């Protein structure tokens, strides 16, 4: 932080009185060459979509070719909704609000959480599906989504809406109020909003109903095979969700668990603009948001069981819960006589702690964001200064975890009765329960200064130059409860972490109106993080319109992506499982090749450390395309893109590190080495590698992120739009589609058209206007895919229809009634996916009707 403060002081001294310019999405200079691939969703399109949240609006865009994450049943993803342009993952899509970076979600430590941006405050959404590192810095590889707020709103607008479904769960409702006043000197816009979606239980959807699990109440031998003629604990296989099937006790894990979590988002926001004099103006943006989710889950199963060395519940001979112990000796099994043949055997039990109740996970995250912008003019120079502070605090509570270290003694003593779990006293159940918690925080602070001026004249106008600097500090902490972090809890493991990035950057842009029909723009930026990750981004673009109705464009960009912000606590080691020392493959290997794992596999600790040899990802993208209007009412736009990421950042495993150090693998990143062992590992300065003792035994391995491999994707974005007027009727129709010809990782097979990566997505929006009525019809299409994860063959295409009828009432109100998924389509099912389908691409809400009323004053 001291370094950041010093940099901040230096920046302020160098840029005194520089006001802030609200950064544009594609460029901070006015140039047609910068905006040729820009896509815009305006306020009218947002309202006609019928959606209640920004995340839902963006999820349907074809540019999200592989879908985008939304709140789901996973612990980390429970409260997260992100954007995933080009299918390159959320950490490579940059989200801005009025040109400023959104905070990173601390629960995932990857991308920005769209739940904190209320749809009520959005004027339009600008999407640049090209590398924008030269404009906005690192991580803008897949593209940029810039949310422009409703700064010039005047009056009062109140909106309320509700919905209904034919399937149980998934209903959504919301409300908002917006008020704005202003004149030529300034304006203030304030607002509040909330949206809420109801939970969907897995038992209420046919594809996730009857999720049968043998982790119910079954006996195994010490060799982990089901016990012959008595695997099912018949006496204890009772209660809701328990059944006997094929001589095994089974539990329906879908009975109490959620397929879709419940969510509630609340926001307060304000924007103020004030013109100080003819040259200077000041703006302030402030926002507070709260996002809450709730997810019930199936009761904890006895996996992993972290005591006794067997990985599942131990039943010692003669103990009360051993199935062969007679009642005269304290046995609890009423069918004990059926187990006389195994009376002296150690047995195991795979169990469901249903008597303790389902897991209950509640999250609450609060976001604070404030930004100051000052902009003006000194002589012939336009100058700006911006300051921002953004923070997200994420808290999580999960009830009804099980501590095996306390549950096993309760089972050994018979206090917990495997043959009547629901009859066990509540104090016994509570004695081995534990509550998980999580405290995560992300803080961003930044300063930015810009100066711009005309430098010389060209036939098409004045060439314009912009120069700027940026200082930014990002701090991340994720602190789970100590028991889960130490892997002492059955049902969950959370790896905590932390990270800090201090950055300074210098950037410049040059707009060149070469002729009246040809213009160009160039941009370059240097980013330097405090841990020696630094590099240059660049962009070149040309725009030529040889005919009034024909525009051609070409562009190249180079963008960078920094290492992941999450750096796990390196002082807490993990341990190998299934690792083979490369030196032990040869029988003549060194001493110590035979460790504690079966098959001569050694056991030793692994430490996750920051890799000092890590380079930023480098992404080069080429765009070529045109915009053509054959007649005044029709326009066709096409953009072909080719994107290649080098030095892909990935987590490298212990086996690969050892193989690379020993020289028996060719797929190796730079910087791996034989480490000099230290007495108290890890050695943070040593980087990634293997530490051995004098006899060649592995003492420990340091793993982490490394720069290795590449990603290649290419395809075409297409838009066909038309506007017509037929007397009193107006008709607008637009088709957007993205076709992905290639998506390849590390030179492997082409994943386009594979499961989870449809080769094309499309959206067709049609609006028919007549007097005060507007009928909107939106068709969303996701293409079929090959090779379902469950091996059942190809996955079919998915097409849904959304319709809305809106009436503009004479008392300055709008009434909208609509139906999403009119045909009530199920998601495309794939049993290989958690939950039965791909949550990023599809949803299981079914047909959803809604009614919304908006009143303006």
């Amino acid at each position: 932080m001291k370094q950041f403060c010093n940099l901040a002081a230096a920046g302020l001294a160098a840029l005194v009185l520089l006001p802030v310019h609200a950064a544009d999405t594609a460029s901070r200079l006015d140039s047609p060459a910068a905006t040729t691939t820009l896509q815009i969703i305006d306020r009218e399109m947002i309202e006609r979509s019928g959606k209640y949240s920004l995340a839902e609006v963006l999820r349907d865009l074809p540019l999200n070719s592989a879908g985008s994450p939304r709140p789901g049943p996973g612990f980390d993803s429970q409260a997260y909704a992100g954007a995933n342009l080009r299918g390159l993952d959320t950490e490579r899509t940059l989200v801005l609000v009025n040109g400023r970076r959104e905070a990173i979600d601390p629960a995932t430590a990857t991308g920005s959480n769209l739940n904190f941006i209320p749809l009520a405050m959005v004027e339009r959404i600008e999407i640049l599906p090209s590398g924008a590192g030269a404009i906005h810095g690192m991580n803008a590889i897949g593209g940029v989504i810039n949310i422009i707020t409703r700064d010039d709103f005047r009056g009062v607008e109140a909106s309320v809406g509700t919905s209904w479904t034919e399937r149980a769960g998934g209903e959504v409702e919301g409300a908002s109020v917006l008020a704005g006043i202003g004149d030529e000197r300034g304006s203030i816009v304030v607002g509040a909003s909330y949206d809420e979606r109801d939970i969907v239980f897995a038992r209420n959807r046919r594809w996730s109903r009857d999720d049968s699990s043998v982790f119910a109440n079954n006996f195994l031998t010490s060799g982990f095979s089901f016990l012959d003629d008595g695997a099912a604990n018949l006496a204890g296989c009772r209660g809701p969700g328990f059944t006997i099937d094929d001589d095994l006790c089974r539990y329906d894990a879908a009975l109490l668990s959620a397929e879709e979590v419940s969510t509630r988002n609340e926001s307060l926001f304000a924007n103020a603009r004030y013109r100080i004099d003819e040259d200077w103006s000041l703006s302030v943006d402030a926002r507070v948001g709260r996002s809450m989710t709730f997810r019930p889950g199936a009761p904890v199963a006895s996996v992993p069981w972290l005591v006794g060395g067997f990985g599942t519940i131990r039943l010692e001979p003669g103990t009360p819960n051993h199935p062969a112990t007679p009642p005269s000796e304290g046995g609890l099994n009423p069918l004990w006589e059926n187990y006389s043949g195994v009376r002296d055997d150690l047995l195991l039990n795979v169990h469901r702690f249903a008597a303790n109740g389902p897991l209950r996970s509640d999250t609450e995250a609060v976001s604070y964001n404030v930004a100051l912008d000052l902009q003006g003019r000194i002589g012939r120079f336009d100058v700006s200064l911006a300051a921002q502070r953004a923070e997200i605090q994420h808290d999580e509570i999960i009830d009804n975890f099980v501590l095996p270290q306390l549950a096993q003694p309760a089972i050994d003593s018979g206090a917990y009765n495997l043959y009547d779990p629901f009859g066990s006293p509540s104090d016994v159940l509570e004695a081995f329960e534990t509550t998980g918690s999580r405290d995560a925080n992300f803080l961003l602070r930044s300063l930015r200064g810009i100066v711009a001026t005309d430098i010389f004249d060209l036939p098409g106008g004045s060439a314009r130059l912009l120069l700027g600097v940026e200082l930014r500090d990002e701090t991340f902490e994720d602190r789970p409860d100590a028991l889960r972090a130490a892997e002492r809890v059955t049902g969950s493991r959370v790896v905590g972490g932390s990270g800090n990035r201090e950055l300074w950057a210098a950037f410049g842009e040059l707009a060149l109106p070469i002729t009246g029909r040809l213009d160009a723009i160039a941009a370059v930026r240097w980013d330097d993080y405090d841990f020696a990750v630094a590099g240059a981004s660049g962009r070149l673009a040309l725009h030529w319109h040889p005919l009034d109705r024909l525009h051609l464009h070409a562009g190249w960009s180079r963008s960078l992506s920094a290492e992941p912000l999450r750096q796990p606590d390196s002082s807490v080691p993990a341990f190998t499982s299934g690792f083979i020392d490369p030196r032990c493959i040869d029988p003549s290997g060194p001493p110590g090749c035979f460790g504690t794992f079966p098959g001569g596999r050694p056991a030793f600790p692994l430490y996750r450390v920051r890799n000092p040899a890590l380079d930023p990802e480098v992404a080069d993208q080429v765009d070529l395309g045109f915009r053509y209007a054959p007649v005044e009412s029709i326009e066709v736009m096409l953009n072909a893109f080719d994107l290649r990421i080098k030095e892909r950042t990935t987590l490298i495993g212990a086996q690969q590190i050892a193989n690379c150090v020993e020289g028996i693998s060719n797929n190796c990143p730079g910087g791996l080495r034989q480490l000099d062992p230290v007495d108290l590992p890890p050695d943070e300065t040593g980087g990634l590698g293997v530490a051995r003792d004098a006899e060649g035994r592995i003492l420990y391995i340091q793993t982490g992120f490394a720069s290795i491999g590449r990603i290649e994707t290419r395809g075409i974005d297409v838009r066909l739009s038309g506007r017509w007027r037929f007397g009193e009727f107006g008709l607008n129709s637009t088709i957007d589609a993205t076709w992905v010809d290639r998506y390849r990782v590390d030179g492997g097979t082409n994943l386009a058209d594979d499961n989870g990566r449809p080769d094309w997505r499309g959206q067709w929006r049609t609006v028919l206007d007549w007097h005060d009525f507007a009928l909107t019809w939106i068709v969303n299409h996701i293409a079929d895919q090959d090779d379902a994860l469950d091996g059942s063959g190809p996955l079919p295409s998915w097409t849904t229809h959304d319709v809305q009828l809106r009436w503009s009432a004479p008392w300055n109100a709008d009434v909208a009634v609509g139906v999403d998924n009119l045909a009530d389509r199920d998601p495309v099912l794939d049993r290989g996916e958690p939950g039965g389908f791909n949550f990023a691409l599809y949803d299981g809400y079914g047909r959803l009707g809604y009614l919304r009323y908006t009143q303006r004053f």
Side-chain angles (χ1 to χ4, degrees), residues 185-206:
R185 289 297 303 270
S187 64
I188 298 177
V189 178
V190 297
S193 74
Y194 97 95
D195 62 85
E196 185 172 13
R197 186 179 285 277
D198 195 17
I199 195 170
V200 176
F201 283 95
R203 62 176 181 264
N204 293 327
R205 295 295 184 266
R206 65 175 182 82

Side-chain angles (χ1 to χ4, degrees), residues 786-845:
D786 293 333
D787 305 322
L789 290 178
D790 62 2
S792 60
L795 299 171
S797 62
W798 197 60
T799 303
T800 59
H801 300 261
D802 304 337
V803 295
Q804 181 194 89
L805 178 63
R806 187 173 65 175
W807 174 44
S808 296
W811 56 86
N812 204 20
D814 287 340
V815 181
V817 59
V819 180
D820 288 349
N821 194 355
L822 182 64
D824 199 25
R825 288 289 306 274
D826 289 344
V828 174
L829 302 183
D830 182 352
R831 290 293 183 184
E833 295 277 2
F837 64 90
N838 187 314
F839 267 58
L841 286 171
Y842 316 105
D843 65 66
Y845 302 129

Side-chain angles (χ1 to χ4, degrees), residues 1 4 103-106 109 390-392 440-445 472-479 497-502 530 565-566:
M1 183 59 202
F4 175 78
I104 292 176
D105 180 63
E391 183 176 10
I392 299 177
N441 181 274
F442 176 85
L443 174 63
L444 178 151
R445 292 167 294 186
R472 190 168 70 246
D473 175 68
E474 299 174 345
T475 302
F476 161 75
E477 289 186 277
D478 186 0
R479 298 172 291 272
S498 61
N500 177 257
R501 296 196 291 224
E502 295 179 359
D530 61 329
L565 187 60
R566 179 190 293 274

